């Protein structure tokens, strides 16, 4: 079962902000929202995560709606090197551990 | 600091052959994961482990086996390779704490012919 829903692809002009949406309408109160990205076939790279509050780090900002049913990853000034597949992940707590389930992600293309 | 190390990077198997994909981490993480990624698709969880001696199935465990005899190592075994197992395999590890990030290896590209 899909835990998150993301648009399959997006374009963004270089230097502009890239806003990547994610729907996680069945999220539970103690589940975090994580964002990873994958460039070509390299291993996924951690970007940011959050629970309730908005978060910001050197790579991106994460905006989580008040009802926590959706979130947006913001890359403030997209560069060509930000072209990648971005995964929004809800961390599911199973009985014996924490499973990370990945959806199909959003393929972001930054256009010169 | 090596992080998560996967070997081999590439492998070609014949149908019916067996092999073990190695994964090692040096961060003393209890949680380890195996994913596969088919061309143009997202990652799918195969197996995971929450500590030495404990493993559990993920979304797509059929055709694979794992073991976790030490905290550092989490090998993935393919007993009878099939073309449907052609994929890129990623190993990841994570500390116990809630909200911590997962660290991924660089992947093993496996082709079954």
């Amino acid at each position: 079962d899909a835990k998150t829903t993301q648009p399959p692809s997006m374009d963004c002009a270089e230097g502009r902000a890239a806003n990547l949406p994610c729907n996680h309408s069945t999220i539970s109160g103690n589940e975090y929202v994580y964002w990873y990205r994958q460039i070509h076939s390299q291993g996924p790279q951690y970007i940011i995560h959050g629970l309730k509050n908005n978060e910001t780090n050197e790579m991106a900002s994460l905006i989580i709606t008040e009802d926590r049913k959706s979130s947006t990853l913001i890359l403030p000034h997209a560069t060509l090197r930000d072209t990648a597949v971005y995964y929004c992940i809800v961390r599911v707590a199973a009985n014996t551990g924490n499973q990370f389930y990945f959806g199909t992600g959003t393929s972001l293309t930054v256009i010169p | 600091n090596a992080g998560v190390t996967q070997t081999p990077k590439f492998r070609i198997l014949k149908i019916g052959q067996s092999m073990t994909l190695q994964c090692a981490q040096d961060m003393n993480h209890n949680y380890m994961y195996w994913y596969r990624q088919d061309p143009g698709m997202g990652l799918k969880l195969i197996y995971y482990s929450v500590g030495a001696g404990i493993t559990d199935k993920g979304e797509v465990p059929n055709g694979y086996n794992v073991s976790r005899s030490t905290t550092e190592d989490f090998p993935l075994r393919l007993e009878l390779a099939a073309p449907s197992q052609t994929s890129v395999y990623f190993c990841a590890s994570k500390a116990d704490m809630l909200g911590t990030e997962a660290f991924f290896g660089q992947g093993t590209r496996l082709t079954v012919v």
Side-chain angles (χ1 to χ4, degrees):
Chain A
D1 293 342
K3 308 296 181 186
T4 61
T5 304
Q6 297 176 252
S9 63
M10 291 181 64
D11 292 339
C12 178
E14 187 178 17
R16 304 295 294 269
N19 297 286
L20 291 87
C22 180
N23 181 288
H24 32 79
S25 58
T26 59
I27 192 170
S28 298
N30 63 346
E31 290 178 329
Y32 287 77
V33 179
Y34 283 78
W35 283 84
Y36 284 77
R37 73 180 183 184
Q38 190 174 23
I39 298 173
H40 300 300
S41 295
Q42 298 175 21
Q45 176 191 23
Y46 167 82
I47 302 173
I48 199 167
H49 74 278
L51 183 62
K52 294 180 181 178
N53 300 323
N54 297 338
E55 302 288 343
T56 295
N57 62 20
E58 65 278 5
M59 288 182 68
S61 294
L62 174 61
I63 308 298
I64 303 174
T65 59
E66 191 169 344
D67 62 8
R68 303 214 317 127
K69 293 183 184 298
S70 65
S71 61
T72 300
L73 177 74
I74 301 173
L75 308 178
H77 306 286
T79 70
L80 298 179
R81 284 178 291 184
D82 291 323
T83 293
V85 179
Y86 288 77
Y87 294 97
C88 169
I89 302 150
V90 170
R91 192 175 60 105
V92 177
N95 289 336
T96 57
N98 306 134
Q99 304 181 34
F100 267 75
Y101 288 100
F102 285 75
T104 53
T106 295
S107 178
L108 175 69
T109 301
V110 180
I111 302 169
Chain B
N1 54 342
V4 179
T5 303
Q6 289 183 237
T7 56
K9 289 186 170 55
F10 304 93
R11 183 71 185 269
I12 298 175
L13 278 182
K14 293 183 179 179
I15 295 172
Q17 285 186 321
S18 61
M19 77 163 293
T20 299
L21 283 68
Q22 301 291 345
C23 176
Q25 52 92 9
D26 60 0
M27 297 170 283
N28 201 34
H29 286 171
N30 281 328
Y31 292 72
M32 295 188 75
Y33 309 82
W34 273 106
Y35 293 88
R36 61 176 286 173
Q37 186 175 32
D38 298 332
M41 305 294 285
L43 292 155
K44 289 190 179 296
L45 182 65
I46 305 172
Y47 270 95
Y48 69 102
S49 169
V50 301
I54 305 170
T55 63
D56 208 346
K57 297 178 180 179
E59 302 172 270
V60 290
N62 292 341
Y64 306 94
N65 280 300
V66 293
S67 60
R68 187 90 183 275
S69 56
T70 66
T71 298
E72 294 79 16
D73 301 299
F74 189 38
L76 178 72
R77 179 83 177 162
L78 283 71
E79 290 294 349
L80 292 170
S84 61
Q85 294 177 304
T86 294
S87 191
V88 180
Y89 292 83
F90 290 100
C91 177
S93 76
K94 189 174 180 296
D96 294 325
M97 300 280 292
L98 288 176
T100 55
E101 63 176 287
F103 293 81
F104 285 81
Q106 288 304 299
T108 295
R109 186 177 297 274
L110 175 67
T111 303
V112 182
V113 297

